[in-house]
Amino acid sequence: MKGYLSGLVVIGGKNLQAGRNIFVPVAEDSDHPDINFPLYVCFIMHYLQIIHKLYNLPEDVNHGYDEAEIALLERRLQVQLPASLRQYYLSVGKNKMVNDSFNRLTSLGEIGFSEDDHLVFYEENQAVVLWGIAKADLPAPNPPVYGTYDSARQEWFMDADTTEHFLLSMAWWNGALGGLTHTAFTDLEEDLTPERIAAVTANWQEQPGVSNQLLRFFTNDFEDILVFSTEQNGQVNGVYAGTNRQEKYKAMLHTLQMEWCYRSDRDE
């Protein structure tokens, strides 16, 4: 994807702890006896590449705002957007499935400062929770994101350590909640047993460091997403699944063998 940085590193296994990684096996080569196989090439993907891949967004379509619209906003607010937030609006800011299928990215016409100087750019689906960046953090390229959960908007809590982590987690969460074509959800007691939960953790890679919203995200190749919602003590109270690829959806259902409260294929 043009304009996005990505790296490549060759490692001898799949136990990479951080980053957004795709592992591609390298064929065994008898000319290199000192290499322990299996060997994998690990591509470190930019988070916007991940969103494009999950939602299967066509590369030849503009999904965002243009530079002139961003510049107009910055003149109105008399600030410059952090580079990460600016790039997001330019890349996918107008895509409703990514940004408005549950929680909502605010439009450029709505974005503004709270009374206590947080630049509010995202809201929960009932507008109970607002998310923003502290004005003092705006010069940083990828600042933390804070949420306010009380109607008086007097307290803000850090919900993600970077803007990119926050936006990726929202794209994943929105996708699992209907932004993706094929989705499923369960909070049935029989689906939340240790054995059923282990089927997720054993077959999908957890993506750490994304959000503090009592959500845990799992994916292997960024073509599907599984989400745990949890209690404060970490107990799983819901499982959400989503993908835009029917074959992936069928494979997820087959692997998990859950009863499910809702499945999009049952609505058809």
Side-chain angles (χ1 to χ4, degrees):
M1 186 175 299
K2 295 180 179 178
Y4 301 148
L5 296 176
S6 60
L8 182 150
V9 61
V10 179
I11 59 177
K14 297 177 72 171
N15 296 321
L16 199 63
Q17 296 299 314
R20 312 285 168 241
N21 316 305
I22 286 184
F23 297 92
V24 180
V26 178
E28 191 165 343
D29 187 343
S30 58
D31 292 336
H32 299 283
D34 294 332
I35 295 178
N36 294 320
F37 290 90
L39 185 69
Y40 294 86
V41 175
C42 175
F43 295 89
I44 311 300
M45 294 185 69
H46 189 280
Y47 84 106
L48 285 171
Q49 290 176 302
I50 293 170
I51 293 172
H52 273 76
K53 186 172 185 182
L54 176 65
Y55 284 85
N56 202 20
L57 300 180
E59 296 293 334
D60 58 348
V61 175
N62 179 24
H63 305 281
Y65 293 86
D66 59 40
E67 287 280 358
E69 291 173 295
I70 300 288
L72 184 63
L73 167 69
E74 292 175 330
R75 286 197 297 271
R76 174 171 66 83
L77 297 177
Q78 297 185 323
V79 297
Q80 188 169 20
L81 296 182
S84 53
L85 184 59
R86 197 175 203 276
Q87 186 180 35
Y88 187 85
Y89 273 107
L90 287 169
S91 177
V92 293
K94 287 185 176 181
N95 188 288
K96 294 293 185 181
M97 302 311 292
V98 177
N99 300 307
D100 197 11
S101 54
F102 187 70
N103 296 330
R104 188 175 74 90
L105 179 75
T106 60
S107 69
L108 293 188
E110 298 172 289
I111 191 171
F113 285 102
S114 64
E115 291 184 359
D116 55 357
D117 281 340
H118 284 78
L119 183 65
V120 177
F121 66 94
Y122 225 106
E123 66 178 26
E124 182 256 349
N125 67 317
Q126 298 181 37
V128 174
V129 183
L130 301 178
W131 289 280
I133 299 169
K135 190 172 185 178
D137 292 336
L138 290 177
N142 194 20
V145 175
Y146 296 83
T148 181
Y149 295 78
D150 64 295
S151 58
R153 310 302 185 196
Q154 293 180 342
E155 291 186 284
W156 292 77
F157 302 92
M158 185 188 293
D159 274 340
D161 60 345
T162 70
T163 304
E164 291 182 359
H165 282 166
F166 175 80
L167 292 169
L168 180 56
S169 70
M170 283 297 172
W172 277 339
W173 189 221
N174 279 349
L177 288 166
L180 296 168
T181 305
H182 308 288
T183 59
F185 157 72
T186 185
D187 61 1
L188 298 173
E189 185 176 345
E190 58 264 37
D191 285 340
L192 303 180
T193 63
E195 294 76 17
R196 294 290 175 87
I197 298 304
V200 175
T201 59
N203 290 286
W204 282 269
Q205 182 183 4
E206 184 163 9
Q207 302 297 308
V210 177
S211 175
N212 297 325
Q213 278 300 295
L214 303 179
L215 301 174
R216 295 171 62 188
F217 300 95
F218 299 82
T219 184
N220 288 329
D221 55 13
F222 310 116
E223 293 184 350
D224 58 21
I225 188 68
L226 279 156
V227 186
F228 289 165
S229 58
T230 70
E231 305 287 352
Q232 290 285 351
N233 64 5
Q235 181 178 350
V236 176
N237 58 27
V239 179
Y240 302 77
T243 180
N244 266 355
R245 296 162 174 85
Q246 188 173 25
E247 70 280 4
K248 283 279 184 180
Y249 182 66
K250 291 179 179 178
M252 294 168 80
L253 298 180
H254 176 75
T255 299
L256 296 175
Q257 293 294 307
M258 292 182 174
E259 294 299 321
W260 302 105
C261 298
Y262 168 81
R263 281 172 40 178
S264 56
D265 57 312
R266 293 174 178 165
D267 267 2
E268 295 174 354

